Amino acid sequence: MTEPVKVHLGSGPHLMPGWINVDYEADFKPEVVADLTQRFPFDDASVDYIHSEGVLCQFDLPAGEHFLNECFRILKPGGYMRLLTPDLRRLLSAYLDDAERGENQLAALWQREVEIPLKLKTSAEVINIGIRNLHKFMYDSPTLMKLLDESGFQSQEVGYQQSSVAALSGLDVRTPENATYMYFECGKPVDA
Ligand SMILES: C[S@@+](CC[C@H](N)C(=O)[O-])C[C@H]1O[C@@H](n2cnc3c(N)ncnc32)[C@H](O)[C@@H]1O
């Protein structure tokens, strides 16, 4: 039996053994150096599984739509993608909690997990950098579901490290405690 083709999009330094790691930064030494805002260097319906964490948020909405359309194109019918991206609702809710309590827990989390230094070390600064500089488009669950649906995927929000697909389980880098991420499992219908 042939091995499934597994593609890890926007690997960064987290190269996954047994996967084709893809990034546009050659310094990370991925198997494939490619700009994911362009046509992906994979044939139609040639990939069994895709994993991507923290990459969709790097793109504005049109580039994000292109990214999802390309993921759909390269997946085989019946294939699955695991997609992880920051959750706008969780981020804003953490900010509002801080504002109400006069705390800066979100800023503390940022300082533990993100290399970009804060000047004022407040949660309002995190919101500004997170939305205006670090990320180009931040999704909440309904917005991402809508875009996934438009790209042809059948998707559901799942939990950290949870997947109905063995190949996609246990891959997540960020825990719910150290990030405000959401986790999606996206299938390409068998008749697509
Ligand atoms: C926040 S990092 C996430 C890295 C890794 N997936 C993780 O979870 O730690 C985003 C990654 O996306 C890559 N990236 C951003 N824009 C890209 C593009 N247009 N084409 C390919 N890779 C891109 C960056 O080089 C970086 O490695």
Side-chain angles (χ1 to χ4, degrees):
M1 222 172 82
T2 53
E3 286 292 308
V5 178
K6 302 187 290 185
V7 171
H8 180 200
L9 297 174
S11 60
H14 296 111
L15 302 181
M16 301 199 314
W19 289 69
I20 303 168
N21 297 285
V22 183
D23 206 286
Y24 68 175
E25 291 287 354
D27 288 354
F28 294 134
K29 304 206 181 334
E31 282 77 13
V32 174
V33 175
D35 181 354
L36 297 170
T37 63
Q38 306 298 313
R39 185 179 170 85
F40 294 2
F42 298 96
D43 290 337
D44 293 1
S46 61
V47 170
D48 294 275
Y49 301 116
I50 293 173
H51 180 75
S52 188
E53 175 167 350
V55 181
L56 180 66
C57 55
Q58 312 284 323
F59 305 136
D60 63 18
L61 186 54
E65 188 175 18
H66 166 84
F67 176 87
L68 294 183
N69 288 339
E70 280 294 281
C71 290
F72 191 85
R73 179 183 67 76
I74 67 171
L75 266 185
K76 295 177 184 172
Y80 277 93
M81 168 171 73
R82 186 169 180 83
L83 184 67
L84 279 58
T85 193
D87 181 350
L88 181 64
R89 193 189 67 78
R90 278 196 66 198
L91 182 72
L92 296 181
S93 152
Y95 166 74
L96 287 173
D97 284 350
D98 274 351
E100 204 155 293
R101 296 181 190 139
E103 294 179 357
N104 286 295
Q105 301 287 342
L106 187 59
L109 172 67
W110 179 281
Q111 288 179 287
R112 282 198 307 274
E113 302 296 335
V114 185
E115 282 170 10
I116 301 168
L118 296 176
K119 176 176 164 51
L120 303 171
K121 302 181 177 50
T122 69
S123 296
E125 189 181 3
V126 171
I127 294 292
N128 275 277
I129 298 180
I131 293 179
R132 294 171 62 90
N133 304 101
L134 188 59
H135 302 122
K136 293 219 176 97
F137 194 95
M138 294 198 63
Y139 298 82
D140 62 6
S141 178
T143 307
L144 182 53
M145 283 293 260
K146 200 167 179 188
L147 195 62
L148 285 164
D149 186 57
E150 284 183 9
S151 302
F153 285 104
Q154 288 175 342
S155 309
Q156 60 170 336
E157 190 167 356
V158 293
Y160 170 64
Q161 306 293 29
Q162 285 175 0
S163 176
S164 57
V165 183
L168 295 176
S169 302
L171 303 174
D172 308 346
V173 173
R174 292 164 189 77
T175 67
E177 292 72 38
N178 67 17
T180 52
Y181 266 50
M182 52 187 177
Y183 315 84
F184 280 80
E185 191 165 282
C186 318
K188 179 168 176 171
V190 283
D191 56 356

